[in-house]
Amino acid sequence: MRYEQQCIAKDMACYDGLEMGDRSVEVTDENRDASQSAKAKAMEAISEGKLEEAIEHLTQAILLNPTSAIMYGTRASVYIKTKKPNAAIWDANAALEINPDYAKGYKSRGIARSMLGQWEDAAKDLHMASKLDYDEEINNVLKKVEPNAHRIEEHRRKYDRLRKEREDRKIERDRCRRRAQAQAEYEKAKKHEQSSSSRKPNGMPGGFPGGMPGGMRVVFLEEYPELMATFSDPEVMAALQDVMKNLANLAKHQANPKVTPIITKMMSKFAGPK
């Protein structure tokens, strides 16, 4: 049976019948003394092996003094003995909320988590408990917990590595696809220019890029590879065709930031001597 049913009203809590007390109340000296007396009865019951009776006394101690981390921590340890790890975790959480440096709270929660197979969380709690207040029982439990926690960690690392490799392969595939697409667009534009261009007066030989002499075209693209994708832009190609018909038309396109840099580089690269 899993102890996961919760009901909270004001600061009163019930966890599958587990009474937690109201931590907002002011604890009187009389209640504090009565709580200690109930705890003493619980310890006597534990020594006699009467664990259920001990839980009843500790519950009474908690209700009398719900601000005591020790009361919750002690009841958590008894719940571990009665094989109720979820109830023990609930009590350990309450103890640690009251006192975050309470070693017994981490110890009880770590042991309870190990009973549930929560190896990584159990290892963290037990290491913290050992750091705050080492005892041999913690070390004995860690001998069982740590190998399991390490196996889970290694499995996670392997999974993360495989996931990263898959992501890298996908990125590379996308990069190749974009490169191939850009190349295809360039080849398409080049073929179009080759089929439609002819040598014009005051223009460049055969129209760019298709009619440009092959060696010169290769040199130009090698020196200015960043312009390759630009030739697939219809606006740029139309402007180039217009300029190639008559260099005087260059004035019409000087205000276009996409066209002027290309024409300038072309003129500087391929213009003949003055």
Side-chain angles (χ1 to χ4, degrees), residues 1-8 13-20 52 55 59 75 79 83-88 90-91:
M1 178 178 182
R2 293 182 62 83
Y3 293 84
E4 294 179 348
Q5 302 168 359
Q6 305 178 29
C7 65
I8 301 176
C14 169
Y15 182 78
D16 194 31
L18 186 62
E19 296 181 85
M20 304 298 288
E52 294 299 332
I55 289 174
T59 298
R75 190 171 68 173
Y79 275 127
K83 310 299 182 184
K84 296 177 180 178
N86 285 290
W90 189 264
D91 268 353

Side-chain angles (χ1 to χ4, degrees), residues 92-109:
N93 286 340
L96 292 170
E97 287 174 6
I98 296 170
N99 181 6
D101 295 323
Y102 184 43
K104 191 171 183 177
Y106 288 107
K107 176 182 176 179
S108 294
R109 191 170 68 181

